RNA sequence: GCCCUGGUAGCUCAGCUGGAUAGAGCGACUCCCUCCUAAGGAGUAGGCCGCAGGUUCGAAUCCUGCCCAGGGCACCA
């Protein structure tokens, strides 16, 4: 079942055929809400894109398309105009709006979902913060992004697993153990150790910490911190399907790591030099070769990560790694490693998150785990709440650094976009409650629609396109923009169109419209992991 | 030096797989509560889209060079 916009697109493509052009060429054409009222309801560049296939001039072809479309739409279109270099502007009839609303209402909270052309098994790995300290506010950006992306991909019709790679092996963990021991004994923190206050807390909560072996302390400490991270994320509404322990890669006879290294050796892409085993990643575009096994016989972090990715690859079709900006150097080598394993590097997608700065009264705070003066995600949630934290982390593209304005995020007024959207949702609920009388199906005819009603319906209709673009571009921030627009246009409608007390026919229609808007606001917020309360 | 990401309104940022007069939020300034939540609403001002070339009927968007900012260039993880 095509959504109203998809139907329009398909009629437009057919019209291209009617007019003697190539309907296939219409695939790349745009069809979007008109930028200005004079441009009608929807504008399309289809004539400019397809005129060539009919050897016609864009403006002439647009006229032909308009005529063909008018026949096809049979009363759903009022008129069309050809403008500028060949834009086709459509002025649709109330009938189109009523039918569209009926379809959207029928689809309910599934409207806009399942549009993926090729359903795929995704495995999204994100956060994966070292379990050597509490999750920072910056980690909150990764968590919100990875989680929202996963929700979006699922809604779009894909299968998604969320995974957290726990770095519970290696030197960082050893340093944690030494730091705990030093704290327990009241000694100086070793160089490169962890100096945060939480280490003192750990030392205090582990019995006999002063006497115990650092390795043991490390294991216990990592366990505690991992649980804390999980609790924080859960509070933040982020749940993982799997917490993958790096340690398990190193365990057992013929461990996953050994298997992966063996596979790489067999592939002929490794070599030995100065006692170390190297992977010739330069063959696949990396700027230098990488060490797998150090000359002291210990595998590198990279080797473990290769093994981990090999494992992930065997469990899914497409991998997404959400990484920090300081890890971008990783992209080349991991892709190369995928290639040496015989996999298709395009199955691995590495998304780089830029940094977040918390801003309060113009002050920027940096977040470093080593120095111990960072703001934790728990602190941030305490300050602004889960909804605002998630929204503000998500509203910007992942590849731009972001300043999170704590003063604004804290506000519970219309100046705060999260609140504004939630408020629109609550208003919907309030009106529906006040109107009494139940919902009835949208009738195909009735009084002339107000322009605010038409604008709102058009906004609702465009949701599947928004979801598709957001999912394909890995851009949850587009959902924030869409939600804000929806809320604004709902609010305009609320201002212009009285519902309670309107003539019965009108009230029924408007109630259906409000109910549909409410459903969609909730759906959009749901994709962001933000709540949609009925009352504020 | 090489690589990645940015450079758009006073601020924070959308728009970037080319389209009409470049958008939003904040901030600034006007105005509006006999009316379904004023926890609200209406409006105004504000822009050589970093710079210079190129491609195109058309460039904020694509290409090249340069400048600026942040980040990265480990037998650390």
């Amino acid at each position: 079942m095509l959504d109203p916009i998809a139907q329009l697109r398909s009629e437009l493509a057919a019209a291209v055929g009617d007019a003697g052009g190539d309907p296939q060429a219409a695939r790349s054409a745009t069809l979007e809400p008109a930028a200005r009222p004079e441009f009608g309801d929807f504008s399309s560049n289809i004539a400019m894109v397809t005129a060539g296939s009919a050897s016609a001039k864009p403006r002439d072809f647009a006229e032909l398309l308009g005529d063909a479309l008018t026949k096809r739409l049979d009363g759903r279109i009022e008129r069309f105009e050809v403008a500028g270099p060949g834009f086709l502007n459509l002025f649709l009839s109330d009938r189109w709006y009523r039918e569209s609303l009926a379809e959207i209402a029928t689809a309910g909270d599934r409207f806009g979902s399942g549009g993926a052309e090729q359903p795929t098994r995704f495995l999204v790995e994100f956060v994966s913060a070292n379990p050597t300290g509490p999750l920072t506010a910056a980690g909150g950006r990764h968590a919100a992004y990875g989680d929202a992306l996963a929700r979006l991909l699922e809604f779009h019709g894909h299968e998604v697993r969320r995974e957290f790679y726990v770095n519970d092996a290696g030197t960082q963990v050893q340093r944690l153990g030494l730091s705990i021991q030093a704290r327990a004994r009241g000694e100086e923190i070793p160089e490169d150790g962890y100096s945060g206050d939480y280490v003192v807390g750990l030392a205090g909560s582990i019995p006999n910490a002063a006497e115990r072996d650092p390795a043991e302390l490390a294991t216990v400490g990592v366990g505690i911190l991992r649980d804390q991270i999980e609790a924080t994320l859960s509070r933040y509404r982020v749940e993982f399907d799997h917490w993958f322990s790096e340690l398990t890669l190193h365990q057992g006879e013929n461990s996953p790591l050994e298997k992966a290294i063996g596979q790489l050796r067999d592939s002929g892409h490794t070599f030995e030099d100065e006692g170390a085993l190297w992977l010739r990643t330069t063959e696949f575009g990396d700027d230098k070769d990488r060490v797998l096994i150090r000359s002291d016989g210990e595998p590198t972090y990279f080797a473990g990560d290769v093994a981990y990715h090999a494992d992930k690859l065997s469990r899914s079709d497409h991998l997404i790694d959400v990484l920090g900006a300081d890890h971008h150097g990783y992209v080349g080598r991991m892709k190369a490693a995928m290639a040496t394993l015989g996999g298709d590097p395009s199955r691995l997608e590495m998304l780089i998150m830029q940094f977040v700065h918390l801003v309060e009264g113009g002050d920027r705070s940096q977040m470093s785990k080593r120095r111990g003066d960072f703001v934790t995600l728990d602190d941030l949630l305490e300050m602004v709440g889960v909804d605002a934290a998630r929204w503000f982390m998500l509203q910007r593209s992942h590849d731009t650094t972001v300043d999170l304005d704590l003063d604004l995020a804290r506000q519970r007024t219309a100046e705060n976009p999260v609140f504004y959207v939630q408020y629109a949702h609550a208003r919907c609920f309030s009106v529906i409650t006040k109107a009494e009388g139940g919902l009835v199906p949208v009738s195909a005819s009735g009084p002339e629609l107000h322009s605010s009603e038409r604008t709102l319906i058009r906004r609702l209709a465009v949701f599947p396109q928004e979801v598709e673009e957001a999912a394909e571009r890995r851009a949850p921030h587009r959902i924030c923009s869409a939600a804000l627009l929806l809320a604004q246009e709902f609010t305009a409608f609320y201002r212009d169109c009285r519902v309670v007390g309107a003539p019965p026919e009108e009230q029924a229609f408007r109630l259906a419209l409000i109910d549909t808007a409410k459903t969609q606001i909730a759906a959009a917020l749901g994709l962001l992991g933000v709540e949609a309360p009925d009352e504020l």
Side-chain angles (χ1 to χ4, degrees):
Chain A
M1 179 68 187
L2 293 176
D3 64 75
I5 301 295
Q7 285 175 41
L8 254 188
R9 291 188 73 98
S10 126
E11 294 294 354
L12 263 172
V16 172
D18 296 345
D22 176 13
Q24 285 301 314
R27 291 181 61 93
S28 61
T30 58
L31 176 66
E32 43 202 23
R36 322 164 62 78
E38 317 81 278
F39 297 162
D41 299 305
F42 289 92
S43 300
S44 178
N45 66 356
I46 190 163
M48 291 181 276
V49 174
T50 60
S53 71
S55 311
K57 288 182 182 168
R59 286 193 62 108
D60 298 343
F61 198 57
E63 292 286 350
L64 293 178
L65 287 184
D67 288 334
L69 188 70
T70 303
K71 288 203 187 81
R72 291 189 159 269
L73 287 185
D74 179 36
R76 293 179 188 83
I77 185 170
E78 219 114 76
R79 63 196 168 89
F80 68 89
E81 278 177 10
V82 176
F87 288 101
L88 184 60
N89 292 335
L90 307 179
F91 296 74
L92 301 175
S93 66
D94 278 3
R95 182 174 150 206
W96 183 85
Y97 279 98
R98 286 176 176 276
E99 288 179 3
S100 295
L101 178 61
E103 285 171 29
I104 299 165
T106 303
D109 61 4
R110 299 307 299 163
F111 181 70
S113 71
E117 284 186 23
Q118 264 192 320
T120 303
R121 285 182 308 159
F122 279 87
L123 194 161
V124 184
E125 182 210 329
F126 59 108
V127 188
S128 300
N130 281 346
T132 51
L135 209 56
T136 61
R141 186 173 189 194
H142 288 237
Y145 178 81
D147 181 60
L149 180 58
R151 289 170 189 245
L152 193 51
L153 291 170
E154 267 170 355
F155 188 71
H156 195 42
H158 299 293
E159 201 178 296
V160 184
R161 270 181 72 88
R162 300 145 208 244
E163 209 153 294
F164 188 119
Y165 184 51
V166 187
N167 300 135
D168 51 5
T171 38
Q172 297 299 333
V173 173
Q174 287 168 23
R175 284 176 188 157
L176 178 68
L178 290 169
S179 303
I180 296 172
Q181 189 186 53
R183 283 298 194 194
R185 293 178 177 174
E187 295 168 358
E188 279 288 296
I189 299 294
E191 201 163 327
D192 292 330
Y194 292 91
S195 57
D197 289 340
Y198 66 90
V199 181
V200 179
L202 281 176
S205 65
I206 301 173
N208 304 320
E211 284 81 49
R212 292 170 77 172
D213 182 56
E216 200 187 336
L217 289 174
T219 306
V220 178
V222 161
I224 293 171
L225 289 168
R226 204 217 76 134
D227 288 348
Q228 281 177 9
I229 290 170
E230 186 167 3
T232 301
L233 287 171
S234 180
R235 179 181 175 203
Y236 197 47
R237 303 184 198 125
V238 177
E239 305 286 345
F240 287 90
D241 296 300
H242 190 40
W243 294 69
F244 192 102
S245 159
E246 181 188 359
L247 213 49
T248 61
L249 291 169
H250 302 271
Q251 291 168 341
E253 283 296 308
N254 195 19
S255 68
L257 182 88
E258 285 162 2
K259 258 189 270 183
I261 299 240
Q263 211 181 324
L264 290 172
R265 275 209 161 106
D266 295 342
S267 74
H269 294 293
T270 62
F271 66 97
E272 295 196 21
D273 188 40
E274 294 178 26
L277 180 71
W278 297 69
L279 183 64
R280 212 184 298 277
T281 50
T282 49
E283 280 179 25
F284 298 93
D286 195 9
D287 48 7
K288 55 186 77 164
D289 293 323
R290 306 291 171 178
V291 172
L292 290 167
I293 309 282
R294 292 191 254 152
S295 50
D296 64 4
E298 286 297 311
T300 59
Y301 177 83
F302 174 60
D305 219 10
V306 173
Y308 175 46
H309 279 78
D311 183 77
K312 286 200 288 187
L313 222 37
S314 72
R315 293 185 278 128
S316 63
D317 302 323
H318 192 89
L319 306 183
I320 293 181
D321 289 0
V322 178
L323 301 174
D326 51 344
H327 281 74
H328 90 261
Y330 235 65
V331 175
R333 76 187 73 165
M334 269 322 297
K335 289 232 170 213
M338 290 299 95
T340 56
L341 282 167
D344 173 1
S346 70
R347 281 175 62 197
L348 170 64
E349 193 176 330
M350 305 182 101
L351 302 175
I352 304 299
M353 300 290 299
Q354 295 297 324
F355 297 131
V356 192
H357 302 281
L358 301 184
V359 179
E360 192 166 25
D363 238 22
R364 291 187 178 187
S365 20
Q366 287 291 337
M367 288 158 273
S368 157
K369 213 175 281 194
R370 221 43 97 53
R371 280 184 306 157
D373 62 348
F374 53 85
V375 178
T376 65
L377 179 54
D378 281 317
D379 292 339
L380 178 66
L381 296 182
E382 212 57 57
M383 289 186 276
V384 307
V386 176
D387 288 335
R390 289 192 61 126
W391 176 282
F392 278 78
M393 290 296 188
L394 288 170
Q395 70 176 337
R396 304 305 183 198
S397 162
H398 66 87
D399 54 16
T400 181
T401 54
V402 150
D403 286 0
L404 197 164
D405 184 340
L406 291 173
D407 301 320
L408 179 59
R410 254 193 291 260
Q411 282 186 50
R412 295 182 50 75
T413 69
E415 279 71 53
N416 182 343
V418 207
F419 185 82
Y420 183 84
V421 175
Q422 290 180 320
Y423 187 64
H425 183 266
R427 268 183 166 164
C428 291
F429 177 81
S430 168
V431 175
I432 292 168
T433 308
K434 205 151 257 172
E436 298 169 349
L439 285 169
V440 295
V442 179
S443 64
S445 62
E448 189 184 348
L449 298 180
H450 189 281
S451 71
S452 293
E453 291 177 294
R454 294 163 61 104
T455 302
L456 179 56
I457 294 169
R458 189 174 66 177
R459 178 62 45 203
L460 294 169
V462 121
F463 189 57
Q465 270 190 0
E466 299 285 1
V467 168
E468 166 141 32
E469 284 204 25
E472 281 177 2
R473 298 186 189 204
R474 320 291 188 233
H477 74 275
R478 282 174 170 264
I479 300 297
C480 287
S481 308
L484 196 54
L485 266 177
L486 175 56
Q488 283 168 339
E489 288 175 355
F490 165 77
T491 304
F493 156 78
Y494 172 86
R495 176 191 71 229
D496 296 335
C497 302
R498 184 83 199 173
V499 178
V500 180
E505 210 179 354
E506 209 154 53
Q507 169 166 323
F509 179 82
R510 289 177 175 172
L511 272 180
L513 178 52
I514 289 188
D515 186 60
T516 309
K518 177 176 184 287
T519 301
Q520 193 170 104
I521 293 172
L525 288 178
L527 289 175
L528 302 170
V530 173
E531 283 184 340
D534 284 334
E535 289 174 39
L536 288 171

